[in-house]
Amino acid sequence: MRIGVFVCQCGENIGRTVDCPAVAEAAGRFPGVAYSVEYKYMCSDPGQNLIKNMIKEKNLDAIVVGSCSPHMHEKTFRKAALDAGVNPFLCEIANLREHCSWVHEDIVDATKKAIDLVRIAVEKVKKNTPLTPIRVPVTKRSLVIGGGISGIQAALDIANAGFECVLVEKEPSIGGHMSQLSETFPTLDCSQCILTPRMVEVYQHPKIKLLTYSEVENVEGFIGNFKVTIRKKARSIDESKCTGCGLCVQKCPIKKKAYNEFEENLAHRPAVYVPFPQAVPNIPVIDRTVCTYYQTGKCQMCVKVCGREAIFFEQQDEMITEEVGSIVVATGYKLYSIDKKPEESEIKGYGEYGYGKYKDVIDGLQFERIASASGPTSGEILRPSDNKVPKKIVFIQCVGSRDESKGFSYCSKICCMYTAKHAMLYKHKVHDGEAYVFYMDIRAGGKGYDEFVRRAIEEDHVKYIRGRVSRIYEEDGKYIVRGEDTIAGKPITIDADLVVLATAMIAQPNAVKLAQTIGMSYDKYGFYNEAHPKLRPVEVSTAGVFLAGACQSPKDIPESVAMASAAASKSLVLFGSDFLEREPTVAKVNESVCAGCFYCQKVCAYNAIEKKEIKDRKGNLVKVIAYVNSGLCQGFGTCNAVCPSKSVELIGFNDEQIYAEINAL
Amino acid sequence: MHAHNTHVETLAGKIEELTSQSVMQCYQCGKCSAGCPVRNYMEDSPNQVIRYVQLGFDDEALHSSTPWLCASCLTCSSRCPQNFDIAKFMDAVREVALEMEIDVKEKDVKKFHEAFLNQIKKNGKAFEFGMVREYKLKTLNLFQDVELFPEMLLKGKLSLLPHKKKDIKHIKKVFDEIK
Amino acid sequence: MKVGYYPGCSLSGTGKEYDLSIRKVLEKLDVELAELNDWSCCGATSAHATNHFLSIGLSSLNLFQAQKQNLEELFAPCAACYNRMVVAKDELGKGTETAKKISALNNGESTAKVNIINIIQLFEKAGLENISAKTKMNLKGIKAACYYGCLLVRPFSITKFDDAEQPVAMEKIISAVGAEPVDWNYKVECCGGAHSIAHKEIVVDLSKKIIDDAVKHGANVIIVACPMCHSNLDMRQRAMKDTAAIPVLYLSEFVGLALGIDSKELGMNLHFTSTEPILEKVLVKE
């Protein structure tokens, strides 16, 4: 074997603490090394050309590059080797930067260590064999989880590119939180007016399979080849028969038993209901917890009025399996509630704001419904307790956000903007009303955002008070709000008619469960982690899974939409080829010695170990052994380490190769 | 206002040592001041006193009447979103002011505490009559509440002789430690 | 049931009736009190307001004494004493520099296992059903504003008692004896505490707000669990202008009335604001 050694100075990064010429010189004397050289930037174009040229000129059949971590440039150097006709897996990296120059100070010792590291790599590469990447087929369909604006956008982008898409939404209708909003900042255009055309487009799209009132139960497989199990919850309505005429909803005698979730509990809904008039699909659901039929077996009013015999009391949940190549997670957020929390909870709720006992202390989404023309007050600003027009309204920002003691330390990002919008909408509707906003900082970074806040202050005369509110209590139908203006240094007490709390955006309650189902990591708040905060913001560490919207962190509509399109385009990149290439450094079972103990299966974090039956020629079962699904295997090697009969080999890192490395020391 | 620089000598440094919390934890939201029951009697709001210390305006903090008007009700500490114990901070400002023999504005409050602690030092227990007598002599507020005294005496609520702790040596040890 | 008892300094002076009523009521509830031997002052506000070491040091002496007497539980009826001792116990437990210094002064004694309880917790231990069963009087017409003040409920992270903002434990006791607790706003607002002497005007002002809110919400009695709060709300009523006179009772007095104990035995004649209006509402059960 003729091995070439290429030592990189990485400018000063390696060169400062490692004597690179000495390393190259020493490497030149290692058995099997035909050529060695050092260079300032091996990853640069001339550096790569040096490798390519020397491979040809010196007739090298394997190379070792002493440089930065293989995380950085292994790909670059392998590509250079391939271009010069050497199998990329006959290229080894000795990490002279992160493992050596960056962590040592003494040049003599560091140089010694660098020489050792190169020697190890040389011994390893001698045992390497040419490998070819694994090719796996790609299922060119996508699953989008969550039917809010993010999920809708992602599904439409994928479908409009010509690929099939399954959109799963847990509620009876798509639309998400955006469908609840009145107007949107900073343009004040009507939220439903811009959203509903997209909802209809989803419904009518031939490439989109819409599964509402459904939840993802299980995900198996790997990038390009996921198998997803979805629970389609029983609506108790036969969707194929229902025309959405709404007679059952009108005639249902249960009027006050259940709160209307879409109206944020500011109104009631019948037992059989459609969440809101523009719901997609426009098919009702029966809430079995309040429907008289399910309690007593009587009533059946809906059955009587339905001309299509679409009421289906005995309907069962249905399990649906879908095969997809990529998954877009767009599950959105929930709002923090100020209610008292269980003692073991890290969050506390706000006792000083009454733990939710005051009817006219509401949250931002409730105000959206009150301000919305389709809401319970038809857009007239009326307070919940007595339906009177509030003449004095107080908005409090950062409730639950930026509060380590009772909530979360992060900023919910959108509250500054929507509070300004709320105050503005209020002033536009109640001309003689007074609006106060308690804030800590005004975070209005975004196109036209700060101008919007200034407009609220300068044109609509919303009074901004810099300080947090300490206490709210009720007195004679007013809400006494005790705050401090920290700019004036004066205490301020306001007798408000209505108080709106901009509560924190928090992760969905089942966010962690879904993360575990799919194999995504999440932060301590339950928001999903992106693969890299700068360069891979819509990917997760599991290949083929992408993020969109507020499930990753609080964000507003344009950001969510942009992220959704990014996630869709990541899926489309995947669908651009028929096959995926994967690293061949995966585990392999020696079938003749495997005893079938399946310790490997227990320790594998990727569910990559399967059971394989070995049969004789007559078809009789001889034994059951382990089998590695190379599509799922990430080459972690835990199976290799635990196997008692040493039947698992990690290709590219087999025992022989590792021993060669150790013996080199 | 003159700002200090070196951390150890600053009030911020001393307070951190006494309370095991950094004044930089405070992000000046003003919730402490908003809920403070004594706020209306203060020249500086509680968060302003913290601000003085954050910026190194130590004299302003040490001469402020705010820490002495603080009623130690703990409302601020219990509601602070940053888990900053403001009441403990106020305790520390007073402690440093006394140690530095600052001529504090709220002399009556200071004298009250002195009179109270003197009784404990002597008797091991608080002795209301003795404390009030000492306080009055110190402040010359001789006639405050005199109208209540006969009734208190009659009801047995004001004993003219102290209830003494028998064994006083541990009390003495504790007081000796802070001399 | 036997419980260690730390009366605290106020209970032999301005809070005399608190001590009287506690002893009477607990006797009826079969709770035996073992008074802490030769106890000393907890240091109160004056100690922690001026010297941290002093405040922890003084309170710790009582904790160590309780340890010596092998007391599992120490009942401190005064909210301030309760608070100071809970805080001292917490600091000893954390092993801070202060704690180490105190330990050195006390022959290496360093931990306090004793559980410090306030009067509400003591009644909870005696059992609300037990109290309810022993209730002899009809208190139906009584609307009570339960006043917690500051030091029973704060800081929650250390006291871990009920709720810092919307506590209800006292209301449960009031309901158990058949009276009606009112919902009001000032139950955890401060009365001015130890400023009673140096800043009487602050105390009068703050206490007046508390009384006015209780009256406004229909209360005909205010129930307290702290001698300092009691003297500020009861004695200082005389200095308040335009405030309706309202009796201020210790929780133990109120429970005592329910159990049929004579009001004089409970020390209710020792108040500055007449307790007659509430005594008129205590009826014999039919």
Side-chain angles (χ1 to χ4, degrees):
Chain A
M1 203 175 228
R2 294 178 59 79
I3 300 165
V5 174
F6 299 85
V7 180
C8 177
Q9 296 174 0
C10 194
E12 284 283 283
N13 274 306
I14 297 172
R16 193 186 300 123
T17 24
V18 170
D19 181 351
C20 293
V23 176
E25 206 260 327
R29 291 197 300 270
F30 294 159
V33 174
Y35 174 74
S36 72
V37 68
E38 51 107 19
Y39 189 70
K40 200 165 180 70
Y41 288 108
M42 208 58 86
C43 62
S44 67
D45 227 35
Q48 291 179 52
N49 284 334
L50 175 69
I51 295 174
K52 289 183 209 168
N53 294 337
M54 285 306 125
I55 288 174
K56 285 176 196 152
E57 201 183 308
K58 303 286 175 188
N59 208 13
L60 305 175
D61 45 22
I63 61 166
V64 167
V65 185
S67 61
C68 53
S69 160
H71 271 299
M72 302 291 152
H73 276 300
E74 187 179 63
K75 249 187 183 171
T76 312
F77 298 129
R78 281 184 171 176
K79 178 77 178 25
L82 181 65
D83 287 352
V86 169
N87 183 285
F89 294 90
L90 293 174
C91 164
E92 281 292 332
I93 308 293
N95 185 349
L96 303 188
R97 197 175 71 179
E98 286 84 346
H99 283 180
C100 189
S101 69
W102 278 359
V103 291
H104 299 297
E105 281 174 2
D106 186 78
I107 188 156
V108 177
D109 289 346
T111 304
K112 256 191 214 163
K113 179 172 170 182
I115 294 169
D116 285 343
L117 289 170
V118 171
R119 188 189 299 115
I120 289 169
V122 167
E123 291 308 313
K124 164 112 199 288
V125 84
K126 285 182 188 169
K127 304 285 178 192
N128 282 9
T129 49
L131 299 173
T132 38
I134 298 165
R135 275 155 66 93
V136 283
V138 176
T139 309
K140 297 185 182 186
R141 291 176 94 222
S142 193
L143 168 76
V144 176
I145 310 173
I149 182 58
S150 303
I152 288 173
Q153 184 65 42
L156 284 174
D157 284 350
I158 293 166
N160 285 336
F163 296 97
E164 271 182 41
C165 186
V166 182
L167 177 57
V168 175
E169 165 58 50
K170 73 176 187 316
E171 299 297 328
S173 168
I174 56 169
H177 285 310
M178 189 177 167
S179 65
Q180 294 176 287
L181 308 183
S182 53
E183 276 77 23
T184 54
F185 61 78
T187 45
L188 292 187
D189 45 357
C190 153
S191 184
Q192 288 198 338
C193 308
I194 56 178
L195 174 69
T196 50
R198 303 274 172 110
M199 290 164 62
V200 174
E201 196 184 339
V202 164
Y203 196 51
Q204 294 173 339
H205 208 296
K207 293 277 188 187
I208 296 178
K209 179 174 177 183
L210 179 59
L211 295 173
T212 52
Y213 210 45
S214 302
E215 288 184 60
V216 170
E217 292 258 312
N218 193 31
V219 175
E220 286 170 33
F222 52 95
I223 179 169
N225 300 274
F226 292 109
K227 202 168 140 192
V228 184
T229 312
I230 299 156
R231 176 186 294 272
K232 193 170 187 306
K233 294 176 279 187
R235 280 180 182 260
S236 316
I237 303 280
D238 187 336
E239 285 180 54
S240 63
K241 291 179 183 165
C242 175
T243 59
C245 73
L247 255 183
C248 54
V249 178
Q250 275 171 39
K251 298 290 179 190
C252 176
I254 303 297
K255 299 286 184 209
K256 294 268 178 193
K257 254 178 150 175
Y259 280 114
N260 187 326
E261 298 87 349
F262 182 80
E263 301 294 1
E264 291 293 327
N265 299 348
L266 292 169
H268 292 88
R269 60 157 171 78
V272 53
Y273 69 102
V274 177
F276 56 105
Q278 304 96 316
V280 168
N282 184 28
I283 295 169
V285 172
I286 295 179
D287 177 352
R288 294 184 177 183
T289 61
V290 292
C291 170
T292 312
Y293 175 80
Y294 289 98
Q295 318 303 320
T296 66
K298 293 196 183 96
C299 184
Q300 304 204 25
M301 179 58 85
C302 47
V303 178
K304 280 167 213 151
V305 297
C306 181
R308 309 268 303 177
E309 297 182 336
I311 307 294
F312 188 3
F313 288 134
E314 288 74 34
Q315 193 177 35
Q316 301 283 317
D317 289 1
E318 192 187 332
M319 293 308 223
I320 297 169
T321 310
E322 294 286 351
E323 290 187 358
V324 295
S326 79
I327 299 174
V328 175
V329 181
T331 48
Y333 71 96
K334 207 180 113 87
L335 271 195
Y336 178 96
S337 79
I338 64 166
D339 304 14
K340 187 165 185 171
K341 307 290 190 282
E343 210 170 294
E344 65 276 10
S345 171
E346 273 178 43
I347 52 174
K348 303 279 182 281
Y350 281 78
E352 61 268 52
Y353 301 163
Y355 283 136
K357 75 175 175 184
Y358 302 127
K359 272 192 165 175
D360 300 319
V361 177
I362 60 174
D363 65 35
L365 273 176
Q366 287 178 315
F367 189 83
E368 293 288 346
R369 294 316 300 151
I370 289 175
S372 171
S374 69
T377 59
S378 306
E380 208 184 332
I381 308 291
L382 302 174
R383 65 179 199 169
S385 67
D386 54 10
N387 276 321
K388 283 187 183 147
V389 179
K391 293 291 179 193
K392 234 186 239 182
I393 185 165
V394 165
F395 297 91
I396 303 175
Q397 295 190 178
C398 298
V399 177
S401 313
R402 305 175 70 195
D403 186 338
E404 274 185 12
S405 138
K406 295 197 162 68
F408 306 95
S409 50
Y410 60 82
C411 163
S412 288
K413 203 173 185 182
I414 67 164
C415 327
C416 286
M417 290 309 296
Y418 80 62
T419 298
K421 177 191 75 178
H422 285 171
M424 212 183 253
L425 291 177
Y426 169 76
K427 292 287 278 190
H428 293 176
K429 289 183 178 186
V430 184
H431 298 297
D432 59 342
E434 286 175 62
Y436 297 87
V437 175
F438 283 92
Y439 72 100
M440 292 210 293
D441 300 283
I442 301 174
R443 296 184 170 174
K447 195 171 179 176
Y449 283 15
D450 202 55
E451 297 91 317
F452 183 78
V453 176
R454 292 311 309 167
R455 206 173 111 201
I457 296 169
E458 291 172 25
E459 289 174 29
D460 295 310
H461 301 281
V462 177
K463 290 198 183 73
Y464 271 69
I465 301 167
R466 197 208 166 276
R468 259 186 194 273
V469 166
S470 177
R471 180 98 159 94
I472 302 170
Y473 56 84
E474 192 182 355
E475 202 170 278
D476 304 324
K478 298 268 189 190
Y479 295 89
I480 310 302
V481 178
R482 278 171 59 178
E484 166 100 4
D485 186 315
T486 56
I487 296 173
K490 292 268 180 269
I492 288 190
T493 301
I494 297 169
D495 52 336
D497 299 304
L498 181 64
V499 181
V500 184
L501 308 176
T503 54
M505 284 170 96
I506 62 176
Q508 291 279 12
N510 55 359
V512 169
K513 197 175 151 235
L514 185 67
Q516 288 162 348
T517 305
I518 298 179
M520 297 182 286
S521 68
Y522 45 91
D523 64 18
K524 63 174 175 173
Y525 309 113
F527 289 115
Y528 301 137
N529 284 339
E530 62 279 16
H532 189 281
K534 311 279 188 306
L535 301 177
R536 296 170 70 194
V538 302
E539 293 159 75
V540 303
S541 47
T542 300
V545 180
F546 309 110
L547 297 175
C551 63
Q552 184 257 350
S553 77
K555 47 181 61 69
D556 63 14
I557 296 168
E559 269 189 298
S560 299
V561 171
M563 200 174 169
S565 288
S569 89
K570 282 283 170 192
S571 295
L572 298 176
V573 168
L574 191 61
F575 300 162
S577 38
D578 297 335
F579 290 93
L580 265 175
E581 288 206 339
R582 292 176 51 79
E583 290 273 287
T585 47
V586 293
K588 193 181 149 198
V589 176
N590 181 343
E591 298 188 350
S592 59
V593 287
C594 172
C597 71
F598 293 101
Y599 281 155
C600 51
Q601 195 178 39
K602 282 185 202 131
V603 297
C604 178
Y606 301 93
N607 296 322
I609 309 277
E610 292 165 11
K611 286 184 179 173
K612 184 179 174 184
E613 294 181 346
I614 302 288
K615 290 175 182 168
D616 63 15
R617 277 184 208 156
K618 288 178 193 156
N620 299 319
L621 185 64
V622 178
K623 62 174 182 174
V624 181
I625 56 159
Y627 168 79
V628 178
N629 180 333
S630 58
L632 281 175
C633 177
Q634 300 285 327
F636 254 44
T638 36
C639 51
N640 177 323
V642 299
C643 179
S645 60
K646 305 223 174 295
S647 314
V648 188
E649 176 194 350
L650 188 59
I651 298 167
F653 295 94
N654 63 28
D655 288 357
E656 205 192 345
Q657 289 165 320
I658 304 294
Y659 284 129
E661 288 189 307
I662 296 169
N663 288 335
L665 275 177
Chain B
M1 294 188 189
H2 176 73
H4 290 282
N5 284 323
T6 43
H7 188 61
V8 231
E9 296 157 18
T10 58
L11 185 52
K14 285 178 192 158
I15 287 173
E16 188 167 341
E17 209 179 294
L18 278 168
T19 63
S20 311
Q21 56 177 5
S22 161
V23 288
M24 294 320 290
Q25 229 172 296
C26 167
Y27 59 21
Q28 292 292 326
C29 71
K31 195 173 183 182
C32 48
S33 306
C36 177
V38 205
R39 172 70 186 94
N40 288 330
Y41 298 89
M42 293 170 171
E43 288 167 28
D44 304 310
S45 66
N47 67 284
Q48 280 173 338
V49 179
I50 303 171
R51 191 71 190 139
Y52 292 152
V53 180
Q54 285 178 332
L55 294 177
F57 301 148
D58 294 1
D59 283 345
E60 281 70 15
L62 290 166
H63 285 95
S64 175
S65 63
T66 298
W68 297 91
L69 287 170
C70 161
S72 303
C73 74
L74 304 176
T75 305
C76 49
S77 304
S78 116
R79 290 181 189 159
C80 176
Q82 288 289 90
N83 289 317
F84 184 70
D85 192 339
I86 298 112
K88 210 172 178 183
F89 164 87
M90 293 295 174
D91 283 352
V93 175
R94 280 186 298 259
E95 186 166 338
V96 176
L98 288 177
E99 194 187 290
M100 293 174 69
E101 295 176 356
I102 302 279
D103 184 22
V104 301
K105 262 189 212 154
E106 284 293 327
K107 295 191 174 48
D108 287 4
V109 178
K110 181 176 164 239
K111 283 171 186 164
F112 167 78
H113 291 320
E114 283 167 358
F116 189 93
L117 293 174
N118 273 338
Q119 295 307 320
I120 304 176
K121 204 169 166 180
K122 269 188 235 161
N123 306 312
K125 294 184 183 184
F127 169 42
E128 284 155 339
F129 180 72
M131 184 265 293
V132 170
R133 186 179 54 197
E134 185 183 332
Y135 172 77
K136 281 175 182 266
L137 287 173
K138 278 186 163 184
T139 60
L140 298 174
N141 290 336
L142 298 178
F143 300 104
Q144 184 187 322
D145 291 328
V146 284
E147 74 281 4
L148 295 170
F149 283 8
E151 200 172 336
M152 288 180 86
L153 279 169
L154 211 62
K155 290 182 168 160
K157 288 193 162 190
L158 199 60
S159 158
L160 297 179
L161 289 171
H163 301 267
K164 285 195 173 188
K165 177 170 161 59
K166 286 180 211 125
D167 179 4
I168 200 107
K169 67 173 186 290
H170 281 101
I171 297 276
K172 250 188 78 69
K173 270 195 205 169
V174 176
F175 274 95
D176 284 348
E177 195 68 18
I178 61 158
K179 260 181 195 163
Chain C
M1 190 170 76
K2 196 173 171 180
V3 178
Y5 183 41
Y6 173 82
C9 310
S10 295
L11 269 71
S12 51
T14 43
K16 200 175 163 188
E17 61 271 38
Y18 199 13
D19 182 63
L20 286 173
S21 56
I22 283 169
R23 291 179 191 272
K24 286 281 170 203
V25 168
L26 293 185
E27 199 184 305
K28 285 248 174 188
L29 295 175
D30 304 317
V31 178
E32 200 186 318
L33 293 178
E35 190 165 329
L36 195 67
N37 293 336
D38 199 29
W39 52 267
S40 53
C41 176
C42 69
T45 310
S46 293
H48 81 75
T50 54
N51 192 289
H52 180 66
F53 175 82
L54 189 61
S55 77
I56 306 296
L58 288 173
S59 286
S60 297
L61 294 182
N62 296 308
L63 298 177
F64 296 145
Q65 179 60 33
Q67 194 93 327
K68 230 180 254 170
Q69 287 175 239
N70 284 324
L71 294 172
E72 267 174 45
E73 234 136 29
L74 186 62
F75 162 45
C78 166
C81 302
Y82 162 75
N83 191 281
R84 292 320 307 165
M85 291 212 264
V86 172
V87 168
K89 183 185 163 177
D90 182 68
E91 177 129 7
L92 290 181
K94 283 180 183 155
T96 60
E97 284 305 312
T98 306
K100 282 179 201 155
K101 257 166 86 182
I102 288 163
S103 168
L105 282 188
N106 290 277
N107 311 322
E109 197 105 44
S110 61
T111 49
K113 282 187 214 97
V114 65
N115 186 28
I116 300 131
I117 57 171
N118 60 45
I119 189 160
I120 300 165
Q121 289 165 323
L122 183 67
F123 280 137
E124 283 169 354
K125 280 195 172 292
L128 297 196
E129 280 157 27
N130 179 23
I131 294 172
S132 197
K134 287 182 174 158
T135 297
K136 283 197 180 139
M137 309 307 275
N138 176 351
L139 306 181
K140 247 187 171 169
I142 297 179
K143 294 186 168 186
C146 296
Y147 177 65
Y148 296 80
C150 310
L151 301 175
L152 285 178
V153 290
R154 290 189 287 262
F156 181 77
S157 57
I158 297 177
T159 63
K160 303 261 188 244
F161 170 67
D162 202 353
D163 187 280
E165 301 291 348
Q166 311 277 347
V168 290
M170 222 192 296
E171 275 84 347
K172 284 182 188 157
I173 298 172
I174 298 305
S175 299
V177 297
E180 185 192 331
V182 300
D183 191 13
W184 63 310
N185 293 322
Y186 275 64
K187 56 167 117 167
V188 294
E189 294 290 322
C190 178
C191 69
H195 280 326
S196 194
I197 293 186
H199 275 293
K200 186 178 154 188
E201 77 290 357
I202 294 180
V203 166
V204 171
D205 183 20
L206 298 183
S207 298
K208 177 179 159 54
K209 283 181 189 158
I210 292 163
I211 290 174
D212 286 350
D213 190 69
V215 172
K216 190 169 180 172
H217 286 85
N220 45 29
V221 63
I222 297 175
I223 312 293
V224 300
C226 170
M228 196 75 235
C229 302
H230 188 269
S231 88
N232 286 344
L233 295 179
D234 174 56
M235 191 173 77
R236 293 296 180 201
Q237 270 190 45
R238 296 201 179 163
M240 295 174 196
K241 288 184 188 111
D242 308 320
T243 283
I246 179 168
V248 182
L249 266 60
Y250 285 106
L251 181 61
S252 47
E253 290 178 319
F254 194 73
V255 173
L257 285 180
L259 301 184
I261 304 173
D262 179 69
S263 69
K264 278 214 179 95
E265 282 188 55
L266 295 166
M268 285 174 59
N269 51 333
L270 302 180
H271 290 209
F272 280 77
T273 303
S274 168
T275 54
E276 277 307 315
I278 205 70
L279 295 177
E280 284 164 15
K281 292 195 163 51
V282 179
L283 307 171
V284 180
K285 267 192 182 171
E286 278 163 23

